[in-house]
Amino acid sequence: QLAAGREERIRTGQQWWLIHSNYLINLSKPTEQVTKELDSVVHDFQLASALGYDAINVHIGKMKWFTLDEAMINMRKNLDVLFARLREEKLDHVQYLWENTAWQWSEIGSNLEEVGYFYKNYLTNLPVKFCFDTAHCRGGWIDLRDRNLVLEQINDLIGIDQLYCIHFNDAKVPLGSKLDRHASLGRGFLGRKTLAPIAQWAAAHDRSLYIETPEPDLRADEISKVR
């Protein structure tokens, strides 16, 4: 499987590849409670390194049992443990990414202010960057219709260099719905008018786009339209 994956990368000529960690991983709990989750993330790094992939993407955690700062402190401690293991296994050349959430239940990082608070107070000296999901932005009340305003906010709160890539999806839900529901490009509430300027910015600033839309039969057409 690893050999086939490496061959596929050569065949397609794609420059950027990303692994998405298990959706159930929640690193906001104390370290002793996330042993299996940390093992799972390390395994993702092992696969990424073997495949020649560039980054690992992990959802920011949930604070169901903790205050916001308690959850963020736990995530910082867990990252310290994780990065120590990655250095030991010589896997720290793969980039670690946090992904904004859609505000479902007690998810952390659904708005830019919360992401910025997390970064500036707990993450600034760690090798972490961010992946922003356009569908999650919709659920979490980040209004992408004014692209430049959102980019200015990202720059002010975490720095635009920390925006590593974009999960490029339409959304089936209205703004601020607190739901994570992806839609095929142009078939949701975001639509072409909102998504096109984001794709143009990404192309101009060397940021990769990853499509996670729900209808595989439309994927080739979606990619063609984005290009």
Side-chain angles (χ1 to χ4, degrees):
Q1 288 177 328
L2 290 173
R6 289 190 291 266
E7 290 171 5
E8 183 69 4
R9 178 166 189 164
I10 294 170
R11 185 188 69 79
T12 60
Q14 291 187 31
Q15 295 180 347
W16 304 100
W17 293 65
L18 175 71
I19 286 179
H20 196 310
S21 281
N22 190 297
Y23 289 101
L24 299 179
I25 288 172
N26 177 16
L27 298 183
S28 71
K29 297 176 288 186
T31 304
E32 61 271 16
Q33 296 181 22
V34 294
T35 302
K36 291 183 179 179
E37 287 159 284
L38 286 170
D39 287 345
S40 178
V41 177
V42 170
H43 183 249
D44 289 335
F45 273 83
Q46 293 168 342
L47 289 176
S49 181
L51 287 162
Y53 282 20
D54 304 288
I56 301 295
N57 176 81
V58 184
H59 282 186
I60 299 177
K62 301 174 184 289
M63 58 177 184
K64 185 175 181 180
W65 303 277
F66 311 101
T67 67
L68 180 62
D69 277 289
E70 287 172 340
M72 289 182 175
I73 289 169
N74 287 337
M75 287 192 282
R76 166 61 199 241
K77 290 178 178 178
N78 288 327
L79 285 184
D80 286 337
V81 173
L82 175 66
F83 286 129
R85 291 181 61 179
L86 297 179
R87 288 191 296 271
E88 183 179 344
E89 295 192 31
K90 296 181 171 54
L91 298 170
D92 51 345
H93 58 284
V94 179
Q95 178 67 56
Y96 183 98
L97 306 176
W98 283 121
E99 180 182 354
N100 66 306
T101 59
W103 208 4
Q104 295 189 120
W105 303 102
S106 56
E107 286 180 334
I108 300 168
S110 59
N111 61 68
L112 293 176
E113 291 77 15
E114 203 163 73
V115 173
Y117 179 81
F118 185 32
Y119 178 71
K120 289 182 177 179
N121 289 280
Y122 297 101
L123 302 176
T124 50
N125 62 341
L126 290 178
V128 299
K129 293 193 176 183
F130 291 87
C131 166
F132 275 90
D133 186 309
T134 53
H136 295 179
C137 286
R138 186 76 182 174
W141 216 300
I142 300 173
D143 192 346
L144 296 173
R145 288 175 293 183
D146 190 336
R147 181 200 69 180
N148 291 336
L149 177 60
V150 173
L151 290 171
E152 288 173 8
Q153 291 174 327
I154 291 174
N155 191 46
D156 290 342
L157 292 168
I158 66 172
I160 203 67
D161 290 343
Q162 301 307 116
L163 176 55
Y164 185 87
C165 65
I166 297 169
H167 280 171
F168 197 64
N169 308 299
D170 214 322
K172 293 180 179 179
V173 293
L175 187 65
S177 63
K178 299 187 179 183
L179 293 172
D180 180 0
R181 301 288 186 273
H182 295 199
S184 297
L185 300 183
R187 299 191 176 201
F189 280 93
L190 288 171
R192 181 184 179 89
K193 187 175 181 180
T194 297
L195 291 170
I198 296 170
Q200 291 161 354
W201 181 89
H205 294 83
D206 197 29
R207 299 304 200 280
S208 51
L209 300 173
Y210 297 91
I211 294 174
E212 303 174 302
T213 48
E215 299 176 85
D217 291 345
L218 300 178
R219 199 71 45 74
D221 184 57
E222 289 177 306
I223 292 170
S224 176
K225 287 179 178 176
V226 170
R227 286 177 173 157

